[in-house]
Amino acid sequence: MAETSALEFADWAGAVSGKLGVRTENGFEIIDAGIQLFEKKAKEVKPEVGAAVAEAGVSS
């Protein structure tokens, strides 16, 4: 399922869960490992309140 999600999402991030086990040559063994992938979506840029007032031609 994780491989399918990675192929479907244009940009993604993942989270790994589990318990650290025995140290190995390359790191650690993960016990009861789980992985979850999330699609990264671009955040909408919201205009500042002051900029919106200035564009409307309203002065204080």
Side-chain angles (χ1 to χ4, degrees):
M1 183 163 156
E3 289 179 36
T4 303
S5 296
L7 293 173
E8 290 176 0
F9 299 152
D11 195 12
W12 56 272
V16 177
S17 62
K19 298 176 187 175
L20 290 180
V22 181
R23 185 176 177 114
T24 67
E25 280 185 31
N26 299 318
F28 291 91
E29 182 179 298
I30 300 178
I31 301 168
D32 297 327
I35 185 167
Q36 188 171 13
L37 296 181
F38 304 92
E39 183 175 16
K40 291 172 62 175
K41 296 182 181 180
K43 293 183 180 180
E44 291 183 27
V45 178
K46 296 181 182 179
E48 294 181 29
V49 174
V53 171
E55 287 179 13
V58 177
S59 60
S60 41

